[in-house]
Amino acid sequence: MSLAALPSAAQEAEEPRTTYAVTMLKFADGADEERWLEVMTNYVNPAREASGAAPQSIHWVMMNPDYDIITVADIPGGMANFDSHAPAGRVAFMEALTEMVGGEEQMEALGDEMDAMIESSTTLYTHTHP
């Protein structure tokens, strides 16, 4: 048995794709939503930019009791990031964020603060198709 190569499929380079993390968040009762937005604006997005990633876009959800906010973030390096425990982009982001907040202890405290503001979250991953 022989299989003929399909020249059109075999010779065309695949167009690059963009991978996104889409996270839907529900704030905990009494959460300071302005503080959450402040952290995103002053620390998270600048750290993303410092690490070479685009800032996350933040979308306030209207008329949906399940979620308050949706964030959309591109994932530099695409789906290959899921094959590593420490992708370079994630490491660079965490280093930049830790420096911006003032060190490891401050980073842990900020993480605890942000976690306490969120009742639930769901993240979906998707990518573009050329």
Side-chain angles (χ1 to χ4, degrees):
M1 171 189 283
S2 68
L3 298 174
L6 298 173
S8 63
Q11 296 177 3
E12 288 182 23
E14 188 171 329
E15 292 182 34
R17 299 172 188 220
T18 302
T19 301
Y20 297 97
V22 179
T23 302
M24 293 148 295
L25 303 159
K26 175 77 173 169
F27 285 114
D29 288 340
D32 185 349
E33 296 173 20
E34 290 300 317
R35 173 63 177 150
W36 182 90
L37 189 57
E38 175 187 324
V39 171
M40 294 298 292
T41 301
N42 295 334
Y43 298 110
V44 174
N45 277 335
R48 283 184 57 82
E49 290 179 289
S51 68
Q56 290 183 12
S57 62
I58 299 169
H59 306 269
W60 294 89
V61 178
M62 302 174 84
M63 299 178 69
N64 183 329
D66 297 325
Y67 304 107
D68 297 311
I69 284 186
I70 296 174
T71 65
V72 179
D74 70 318
I75 301 176
M79 299 299 281
N81 281 302
F82 296 103
D83 291 334
S84 172
H85 291 288
R90 177 77 177 155
V91 170
F93 166 73
M94 293 304 292
E95 288 174 352
L97 185 58
T98 301
E99 182 177 329
M100 287 179 182
V101 300
E104 292 289 333
E105 288 180 23
Q106 292 86 346
M107 181 69 177
E108 185 174 341
L110 184 62
D112 292 344
E113 179 186 5
M114 293 295 278
D115 288 347
M117 288 188 225
I118 304 301
E119 177 182 309
S120 63
S121 68
T122 300
T123 301
L124 306 172
Y125 298 94
T126 185
H127 61 247
T128 58
H129 285 267

